[in-house]
Amino acid sequence: MAQSSFQPRVHLEIESRLENVELAQLALQEALAELEVADDECYAIGAAVREAVANAIRHGNGVGSDKPVMIDLGVMGSEVIIRVSDRGPGFDPERLPDPRERENRLRPGGRGILIMREFMDRIEYSFFSRRGTELTLRKVLGVPLRGGIPQQEEKR
Amino acid sequence: MKIPARHSSGVTILEPKGKITIGVGDVALREAVHEAVDAGATKILINLGEVTTIDSSGIGELVAAYTTVTNRGGNLKLLNLPPKVQDILQITQLVTVFDVLDTEEEAIASFGD
């Protein structure tokens, strides 16, 4: 996956306020509906985006911070790629406790990444010292996207 | 949004509608549970039949509600799980924590006297 090959169809930049989680999810689901993505896949991607954006606001930038969250949606063939970026310092996803383990089940938080992993095919964190944290979420759709040609060709 | 509460055979039934998500219905659920517990309720049933969406924050509030009620010696159960809520509870393994019932009659009877 070359970072430079990702050319978003949709770019959103939101303030780090919790009410924007809903707006971001709705905007992306609307874009997916325009691409004729099936309802159940729209729901799954929307649910994952909601968790990604909420984490970026709460744990990345901090609620009410003046740092923005960036959300990009791209398609490559029949794969939907979403990138959520914040200015947070990052963390080690491998060190997070598994919320499914018996001793963690009654914790009030810590389920967002699990939900993202469940609803998407792949999620990948990248951490950059200057620009912060990028989360890339990928899902291959059951049915090819309307106009689902490689994005590089589409840019001509 | 205030979550409606009613009472039947000593059971407090909370009926959230729509979304229980970050910044939307999660705080309302917390307030409704605390209000019921503060009023002395020990048998609390949350009817999720009209809930359209739940996210990790909403799930977190359900867990917090369970802990709050249990710590005060009460019981909290769930009723009428829509498939999407059921899926999330399955993914998070919380189906092993919550007592989930399909009908109100069955749920009320399960609390006992």
Side-chain angles (χ1 to χ4, degrees):
Chain A
M1 177 200 69
Q3 296 279 334
S4 57
S5 69
F6 182 79
Q7 297 293 332
R9 280 174 184 246
V10 175
H11 173 78
L12 302 174
E13 187 167 329
I14 60 170
E15 292 178 3
S16 294
R17 292 187 285 124
L18 292 180
E19 54 268 39
N20 287 339
V21 174
E22 183 82 8
L23 292 177
Q25 182 193 4
L26 290 175
L28 258 66
Q29 281 190 305
E30 195 170 303
L32 292 168
E34 281 176 16
L35 293 166
E36 297 180 4
V37 174
D39 287 350
D40 58 337
E41 288 172 323
C42 263
Y43 165 74
I45 296 169
V49 166
R50 165 178 286 282
E51 301 297 338
V53 174
N55 279 355
I57 292 173
R58 282 199 301 198
H59 306 303
N61 291 343
V63 177
S65 129
D66 58 3
K67 299 168 190 166
V69 173
M70 262 80 73
I71 304 137
D72 294 296
L73 165 71
V75 292
M76 299 279 277
S78 58
E79 185 176 46
V80 171
I81 306 166
I82 292 157
R83 184 169 295 154
V84 178
S85 313
D86 62 59
R87 302 275 173 81
F91 62 100
D92 183 353
E94 300 305 317
R95 292 180 67 97
L96 296 176
D98 184 341
R100 296 168 298 183
E101 294 293 331
R102 187 174 298 277
E103 65 270 23
N104 298 326
R105 283 184 204 158
L106 290 181
R107 290 189 179 197
R111 299 179 179 85
I113 292 178
L114 170 66
I115 289 172
M116 284 186 254
R117 287 200 166 117
E118 197 65 33
F119 283 124
M120 302 299 283
D121 293 331
R122 195 146 57 98
I123 75 166
E124 190 174 72
Y125 278 98
S126 303
F127 305 105
F128 304 94
S129 55
R130 289 193 179 170
R131 66 174 196 267
T133 299
E134 273 184 11
L135 167 61
T136 306
L137 306 106
R138 294 167 177 270
K139 188 174 187 68
V140 177
L141 304 175
V143 176
L145 287 168
R146 183 169 63 85
I149 54 176
Q151 203 163 17
Q152 290 89 332
E153 289 182 32
E154 212 174 55
K155 283 186 70 192
R156 283 177 302 180
Chain B
M1 178 181 78
K2 188 169 167 59
I3 293 176
R6 60 189 174 84
H7 304 275
S8 178
S9 305
V11 177
T12 300
I13 304 168
L14 304 178
E15 300 189 305
K17 291 181 173 53
K19 298 182 175 186
I20 307 180
T21 53
I22 192 164
V24 181
D26 56 348
V27 175
L29 178 62
R30 188 187 318 158
E31 288 172 353
V33 170
H34 279 274
E35 205 171 292
V37 169
D38 290 345
T42 55
K43 299 173 182 176
I44 298 179
L45 182 62
I46 303 180
N47 182 355
L48 296 168
E50 299 290 321
V51 170
T52 55
T53 310
I54 194 161
D55 64 5
S56 66
S57 289
I59 290 291
E61 287 303 333
L62 284 181
V63 170
Y66 175 87
T67 306
T68 299
V69 174
T70 306
N71 286 347
R72 298 213 194 174
N75 270 312
L76 182 141
K77 302 187 183 199
L78 305 180
L79 173 65
N80 285 333
L81 295 192
K84 285 175 182 171
V85 178
Q86 171 80 36
D87 281 351
I88 300 263
L89 286 185
Q90 193 74 47
I91 290 165
T92 54
Q93 292 289 306
L94 288 169
V95 283
T96 62
V97 170
F98 289 104
D99 203 356
V100 179
L101 289 306
D102 292 330
T103 70
E104 188 172 315
E105 294 73 21
E106 184 190 3
I108 288 171
S110 74
F111 281 101
D113 291 327

